[in-house]
Amino acid sequence: MKHDKLNYEWCYISGRVNVLECQLLSMNFYERLLSSQNIGNLFANLNNTHLKKYFTHVKHLYEFEMLLDDYYYDRLYEIRTLAPDTGFCDLFLIKNDVINLKNILKASISDREPDRYLRGTIDKDKLNAVWQVGVKSFPEVLNEAVLYFKGEMKYLKKAWMPFIIDLIFDSAYLKYIEFVCRDNSADIIRRYLAIYRITRVIKIIMRVLTLKLAKGPFEKYFLTGLNANNAFRELVSGSTQLSEKMLCEMLVETHCYTSPAEYENIVKILSAELSKKISYRYDIMTDNYLMDIIRPAKYTPFGAEKVFGYLCGLTTEFFNLKLVIGGLIRGVENNLLRERLRKTYV
């Protein structure tokens, strides 16, 4: 009965998502966009889509980043307002809160104003208040990260602080993802978040190894914040190479649901591209794999997974549009843009 009631509460927003899904852009559209011969053609192609509301004049192409931000967050906040539970929408916004927090803290230790503010779940004033009093609406794990950094500041050299801030808050963000994953009742969302988390952890580890950053602070401020860290520590120590066996161990040690078949699939995807240097292909392959996991949510009549799947598709569309429009305006070769496109939701 509880499950039926929950699904019933998602009926209206699921109907709205059905409409919005039809407006998402397919890979064929990006091919047409890439075939644009000039700015006028580019504008005409955009004007034949729902984006014409934002790009009403060819000159708006030179403001594409701001206008695409407006498009993406208009949709995201609309869904957030209508949803019976904002948690699924917040998954797409908390990352911005984390970036904002990191920027505020880095700016404060340098006695300057933050460089930018991204739209998240809390506004600038509340974010600034986190340092003094915390914010009730903020995930507890992020408030704890603020307190942890405050307690560690007196032991840190100023030059190390930006690096430590990144480690503490990246770890807190991934821990937040783990909490959401563990408490989620929708199998497809749990699977998606489990794989998302493991790919991000490995990416951060490989970046540290590639840049030859200090392993001591990395283990203390990043790995200790994650529950599943045995295989991660082994990898960072350099005592072993990243193998299919180790990848399977990392997946098993995560506390989210993933099936043995999914272990095999993601291990193949990761092993195909992982080396001591993670290239842009790692992001493409893992993003595409995640899209393959979530795409069946389209066929759910109503429920949280229906909404979450659409938001994943919307986020990918936001990335692809910025990539292609920005690349075409700046004269980047089409093939370079094409090979970096992510799979679409439709």
Side-chain angles (χ1 to χ4, degrees):
M1 182 65 71
K2 183 179 178 182
H3 183 70
D4 291 340
K5 181 178 184 296
L6 183 62
N7 278 338
Y8 176 78
E9 290 174 346
W10 287 91
C11 279
Y12 176 79
I13 184 62
S14 297
R16 176 62 178 148
V17 162
N18 269 326
V19 175
L20 294 175
E21 275 180 355
C22 297
Q23 297 179 2
L24 289 175
L25 303 168
S26 68
M27 195 58 76
N28 287 337
F29 169 79
Y30 294 107
E31 285 296 333
R32 291 198 300 275
L33 213 58
L34 286 167
S35 68
S36 302
Q37 300 297 315
N38 51 50
I39 294 296
N41 286 155
L42 179 59
F43 174 72
N45 278 317
L46 290 173
N47 210 244
N48 288 325
T49 71
H50 55 281
L51 291 166
K52 64 183 178 182
K53 173 184 173 183
Y54 297 86
F55 294 86
T56 58
H57 193 281
V58 68
K59 67 182 181 182
H60 289 153
L61 288 171
Y62 298 101
E63 305 167 18
F64 75 93
E65 290 185 324
M66 180 185 70
L67 295 174
L68 288 177
D69 280 351
D70 289 344
Y71 159 67
Y72 176 67
Y73 291 108
D74 284 352
R75 289 287 168 88
L76 186 49
Y77 285 122
E78 177 193 357
I79 298 297
R80 191 172 188 259
T81 301
L82 297 172
D85 178 358
T86 66
F88 299 101
C89 304
D90 291 350
L91 279 167
F92 298 87
L93 292 168
I94 290 292
K95 185 189 295 186
N96 287 354
D97 289 329
V98 171
I99 293 171
N100 289 334
L101 259 178
K102 292 199 287 191
N103 287 337
I104 285 172
L105 295 177
K106 289 175 184 178
S108 67
I109 61 178
S110 303
D111 296 319
R112 59 177 176 80
E113 287 296 312
D115 295 331
R116 57 178 177 159
Y117 170 77
L118 301 175
R119 283 175 259 191
T121 63
I122 12 184
D123 60 32
K124 282 183 186 178
D125 293 336
K126 284 186 179 178
L127 270 174
N128 283 312
V130 169
W131 187 250
Q132 283 79 32
V133 295
V135 177
K136 287 184 180 178
S137 60
F138 216 39
E140 189 58 32
V141 67
L142 295 181
N143 276 324
E144 288 173 359
V146 174
L147 291 174
Y148 182 40
F149 176 67
K150 286 173 76 171
E152 291 293 307
M153 281 183 69
K154 57 189 172 188
Y155 306 113
L156 299 172
K157 294 180 180 178
K158 190 172 182 179
W160 276 95
M161 285 188 186
F163 175 50
I164 302 303
I165 288 170
D166 283 337
L167 293 178
I168 290 174
F169 286 94
D170 286 343
S171 180
Y173 170 67
L174 290 168
K175 194 172 182 181
Y176 166 76
I177 294 292
E178 183 184 357
F179 289 156
V180 175
C181 176
R182 186 180 58 202
D183 297 338
N184 200 288
S185 60
D187 284 350
I188 193 169
I189 298 177
R190 288 208 307 274
R191 292 197 297 272
Y192 180 96
L193 293 177
I195 300 302
Y196 173 82
R197 181 176 176 271
I198 196 76
T199 60
R200 299 309 122 182
V201 172
I202 292 174
K203 182 178 179 181
I204 292 169
I205 289 176
M206 298 308 286
R207 183 186 299 128
V208 168
L209 295 179
T210 299
L211 297 177
K212 296 181 170 37
L213 299 173
K215 295 176 185 176
F218 178 71
E219 290 189 16
K220 178 179 180 181
Y221 295 111
F222 182 77
L223 290 181
T224 54
L226 304 173
N227 289 333
N229 58 34
N230 293 335
F232 296 148
R233 285 183 180 280
E234 193 177 340
L235 176 59
V236 172
S237 71
S239 61
T240 184
Q241 294 295 314
L242 188 60
S243 63
E244 291 195 10
K245 179 176 179 292
M246 175 173 281
L247 285 170
C248 284
E249 288 175 3
M250 289 179 178
L251 287 168
V252 170
E253 285 177 355
T254 59
H255 299 286
C256 301
Y257 170 78
T258 44
S259 70
E262 283 169 330
Y263 293 162
E264 274 185 36
N265 286 336
I266 190 61
V267 163
K268 287 176 182 175
I269 292 290
L270 295 176
S271 297
E273 280 298 333
L274 278 174
S275 63
K276 286 298 181 182
K277 291 185 179 180
I278 291 186
S279 71
Y280 69 90
R281 289 189 297 271
Y282 176 85
D283 282 334
I284 295 170
M285 293 182 73
T286 52
D287 286 352
N288 286 346
Y289 184 72
L290 287 165
M291 182 58 73
D292 289 339
I293 289 175
I294 202 63
R295 191 179 285 109
K298 280 191 302 181
Y299 308 110
T300 304
F302 48 83
E305 51 266 66
K306 177 79 172 176
V307 176
F308 184 80
Y310 166 73
L311 292 176
C312 289
L314 177 68
T315 301
T316 298
E317 178 170 283
F318 179 55
F319 173 87
N320 282 342
L321 284 169
K322 281 200 170 184
L323 172 73
V324 174
I325 296 174
L328 290 175
I329 288 175
R330 296 179 179 109
V332 177
E333 186 182 343
N334 280 9
N335 284 336
L336 293 177
L337 299 175
R338 187 177 285 109
E339 67 184 5
R340 286 165 172 78
L341 279 170
R342 276 33 171 192
K343 284 184 180 180
T344 59
Y345 190 61
V346 295

